[in-house]
Every structure is written in structure tokens, then in C-alpha cells.
Amino acid sequence: MTGNLTFAYWGGSDGEEAGFAYAKKKFESENPGATVTLKAVPYASFFSSIDRGIQAGNAPDIFRVDYTTIGKYSKNGVLLDVSPYFSTDEIDAFLPAMWGAIQYDGVPYGVPHQTDTTCIVYSKSAFETAGITSVPTTLKDAWTWDEFSEVAAKLRSSLASNKFPFAYDWTLAGAYRWNSWLYQAGGTLLTSDLSASALPSDAATKALDYTKSFFTKKWVPATNTIKTSTYSDNFFLDQTVAMSFVGDFLVPELAAAKTGYQGGDWGATFLPQDAGTGADLGGNAIVALKDTKDPELAAAFLKTLVSEDCMKYFCEQAVELPTLQRLASEKLKYAYRPDVVAVCAEQATTISDTIVAETTVGGFADINTALQNQLELAFHGQSTESTLSALSTQINKALSS
């Protein structure tokens, strides 16, 4: 195969950069005459630049897209249907839920490149000072909400007034991670056919009341709201909090010898559970434009990106989770803290088909914006009833538009 492709992605960690460069080198060596131009764009302006490019007819052939945004593009019919390029055996090599994450109306658009999810990291010395002697080491033993509350209360009692038990990773585009509490409470965001909001509900009321209490009980910093300028990992890095909810992709940052966490030994454990379990579907797909000048070449590069060799290297260097079944069951040689990544990998098993389906529905980008706006208001005093009512109205609008 010969020809030229442009691949756009938002600038990530050094590990991600190395992973993309590795795939480019492999693809070009296996396809003499083919060239892939890598184009890194800041995340803040990434999708606006993609949208402008699509409208102007000069968008990149291939681009990265998070699972919470892919539905926007597949719904609007601008992505390449990759079904002609993948055999049944190749499709079956992926984790079923992850292959489902790139489908819209049963049609696959792009490839599930990697995934990530949230775990809890914590300061061992802060826990020792607070008298917390037992931390779950298996998913089945994860704290219940009541047990998590006890841990938070012990930390609150032992910490200085300007320090806090934890921070949560729901900042800005991560607003949808609040849904983990909803799933843990036994609820869902949407009806089973994904056509309408499932709010208000008893589970949603319980989840929102519980998360609002984080602020009234001073378990989280007052600035750990949705539209803050400080992310959960930064609260942990500057030792404002004793534990934090973070994605596995942040492990390299936390583990860096000179710039990482300087508060002593730190460990990781699982998300709390209530009536059920639940976690956030993080990570990204790689998609090609339907109007790319060479769809076969684009599809071939997509297949290289998710080849076992390239996915293994990318995930090990970037400290993220693979989407191929064989790699998911293999012990990868992660560049940083494989013990922490193992917690995230086990936590990822709680990402149900329902969570995947709701997170990748066509209007989810607008739903996430609604979550940003309404949760911010809720954490600043808006009633639970008003919040869930407004969310329901805005979710239904997003699904029908």
C-alpha cells in the first residue's frame, strides 16, 4: 500500500507519544511508500479543530476520539464504517464491551484503541495516622458506601482544617464520572432502550444526596467541583487530600521520581460499592473519516494501531488498559506501578454493557455538558429534586436532537 495519511490526536504523556510513534514506524516499514503524518493538538481545542476541518473539507484522515464523544460523530454519519475491513475472528479478538463501544446502530466506526478507568490512590502515612488499618485488596472486598464514609470521617478527624479526605475526578469533561455513583446505587442514566432519561429515580436521589454531602461534611476541598481549575490528581500531588480518585493514565505522573507524589508511600484500592458496582468508561477510540481519500489505507493503519504488538507497547508505555482479550488477560510490563494498574484492570470489569451503551450513545457529548452544568449547581446548593428534573429535561433534549 502507498499513500499519505494524517493522524491527529491530543498531546498526551511521553508514553502515548512513544506508542503512536512506534505504530507509525511499524506501519511505514510494512507498507513502503505509505506515510503517516502525526499531528498533536491540545485537548482543549481538539474537537473544535476537527469540526472546523470536517466543515472545510480538510480534516485529518484519522483522529483520536474519547468514548464519550464518538457517538456525536458516528450519529452524524462522518466516520468510516470499518466492517468491510475486519473479519469475524478479528472482531472477536476484542473485549466484547469495547467493540460495542465503537458501534452505532450496530455499525462499527473506528477501533477501540485503549481504555482506562478510575481507582482510589491513598497516602499510607495519612491512613496510618487516622487509624485506618484495613484497605481492600480485592474487588469483592471493596468498601461499601458506609465503610467509605467511615474512612472519610476518620481522615476528616485526623487531618488539619486545610487538608481533606479525598478529591473526585469529575472535573469538566470528566463530569460523567459522577455516573459511577449512580450505577453503584443501582440506577441508570437512561432507559433500557437508550431513548430517554431514567431520571429522576430513587437511586439517582441517593447518589446525588450522597455526593453533595462530600461538600457539607468537608470531605473534599470546596474547589473540587465540576468547573474547577484543579484536577483530582493535583489535589493529591500537592498533598491537599489524603486520597484521590484518579484514572490509571495518571499513574506515570504520580510515580515520577522528581515531580510525582512526594508524601511517602502510596497505594491504590477499588471504588466503593452500594447496591451494585460501577466505574467510568474512560479511554479512546481511533476513527477514520468516511471521506478520507484512501479508506483502505486508513483502515490498514487502524488495524496496525490495534495490532497486538502495537497495543501492548502503547499500553505498557502509557500505562493504560488494552482492549484485546488476550492482552487483557496477560500480565503486561507497565512502565510504572504495575500494582496500581492491576487495581484499575480489575475495577474495569465492573464496566457493564449498560455503562458502555449509555456512555457512547449519540447524544452523550451534550449529556456530559448537562452533567457539568447541573452538578455544578447541585454542589453549590441547588436542590436534588431540581437538579435531577433539569438533567432529565436536558438529557431528553440531547437524545432527540
Side-chain angles (χ1 to χ4, degrees):
M1 287 187 176
T2 60
N4 302 310
L5 295 169
T6 301
F7 171 37
Y9 59 95
W10 52 88
S13 64
D14 291 344
E16 288 190 335
E17 294 283 357
F20 288 135
Y22 182 87
K24 165 185 163 70
K25 182 178 180 180
K26 179 179 180 180
F27 181 74
E28 292 177 345
S29 67
E30 293 177 348
N31 297 275
T35 301
V36 178
T37 300
L38 301 180
K39 183 181 179 182
V41 179
Y43 183 79
S45 59
F46 186 82
F47 291 111
S48 60
S49 70
I50 293 293
D51 294 346
R52 288 193 300 270
I54 291 173
Q55 292 173 359
N58 59 7
D61 301 283
I62 298 167
F63 62 95
R64 194 183 199 191
V65 60
D66 45 44
Y67 297 118
T68 59
T69 308
I70 189 172
K72 164 188 168 182
Y73 294 101
S74 53
K75 178 182 180 180
N76 289 331
V78 299
L79 301 182
L80 180 69
D81 173 3
V82 301
S83 55
Y85 307 102
F86 281 81
S87 68
T88 300
D89 287 345
E90 288 171 329
I91 292 171
D92 289 344
F94 290 95
L95 295 166
M98 298 315 303
W99 187 256
I102 50 86
Q103 292 187 61
Y104 182 75
D105 282 347
V107 177
Y109 295 101
V111 291
H113 184 227
Q114 48 77 219
T115 187
D116 57 67
T117 197
T118 296
C119 70
I120 299 173
V121 294
Y122 64 93
S123 163
K124 292 185 178 181
S125 62
F127 272 36
E128 182 179 357
T129 299
I132 301 166
T133 58
S134 178
V135 179
T137 57
T138 64
L139 184 61
K140 67 180 180 63
D141 295 324
W143 288 315
T144 64
W145 282 14
D146 287 343
E147 290 169 337
F148 180 74
S149 295
E150 291 174 7
V151 168
K154 286 182 179 180
L155 287 168
R156 179 65 282 164
S157 295
S158 68
L159 293 167
S161 60
N162 64 340
K163 305 291 183 181
F164 300 86
F166 65 92
Y168 197 75
D169 58 343
W170 46 33
T171 304
L172 298 177
Y176 78 101
R177 295 192 179 102
W178 175 85
N179 295 344
S180 295
W181 300 103
L182 174 62
Y183 299 128
Q184 291 162 19
T188 61
L189 190 68
L190 307 179
T191 55
S192 59
D193 63 358
L194 307 178
S195 66
S197 169
L199 308 179
S201 66
D202 289 346
T205 298
K206 181 177 183 180
L208 188 52
D209 283 345
Y210 187 55
T211 50
K212 287 170 67 175
S213 77
F214 298 167
F215 296 90
T216 57
K217 295 178 179 179
K218 299 187 186 314
W219 286 353
V220 299
T223 52
N224 183 214
T225 55
I226 306 299
K227 298 183 179 181
T228 185
S229 59
T230 306
Y231 287 79
S232 63
D233 54 309
N234 292 321
F235 283 116
F236 189 66
L237 282 169
D238 66 17
Q239 300 178 54
T240 299
V241 298
M243 59 180 172
S244 191
F245 291 70
V246 300
D248 49 81
F249 59 92
L250 292 170
V251 170
E253 175 189 70
L254 299 179
K258 293 184 178 180
T259 58
Y261 184 70
Q262 303 297 314
D265 289 343
W266 58 279
T269 189
F270 305 93
L271 302 186
Q273 55 187 328
D274 188 54
T277 60
D280 56 288
L281 173 64
N284 307 286
I286 311 290
V287 298
L289 283 180
K290 181 177 66 176
D291 294 334
T292 180
K293 57 186 177 294
D294 194 337
E296 288 194 8
L297 189 66
F301 184 58
L302 293 180
K303 293 180 78 167
T304 296
L305 284 166
V306 293
S307 64
E308 189 172 306
D309 175 39
C310 287
M311 185 181 292
K312 183 174 187 290
Y313 183 82
F314 184 94
C315 289
E316 287 180 338
Q317 299 306 308
V319 190
E320 294 167 10
L321 304 177
T323 59
L324 290 172
Q325 295 198 57
R326 208 180 84 76
L327 291 180
S329 61
E330 181 181 328
K331 190 173 183 179
L332 301 189
K333 296 179 181 178
Y334 289 105
Y336 298 89
R337 293 298 298 265
D339 58 317
V340 176
V341 185
V343 171
C344 288
E346 193 172 353
Q347 186 69 62
T349 64
T350 67
I351 303 173
S352 66
D353 290 345
T354 296
I355 294 174
V356 171
E358 292 193 349
T359 306
T360 58
V361 74
F364 197 81
D366 290 335
I367 290 172
N368 202 23
T369 298
L371 287 166
Q372 290 179 38
N373 294 332
Q374 292 304 317
L375 291 174
E376 181 75 11
L377 292 172
F379 296 155
H380 282 93
Q382 179 173 269
S383 73
T384 295
E385 182 181 8
S386 295
T387 300
L388 294 179
S389 176
L391 271 175
S392 181
T393 298
Q394 293 171 25
I395 289 171
N396 287 332
K397 182 180 178 181
L399 292 173
S400 62
S401 62

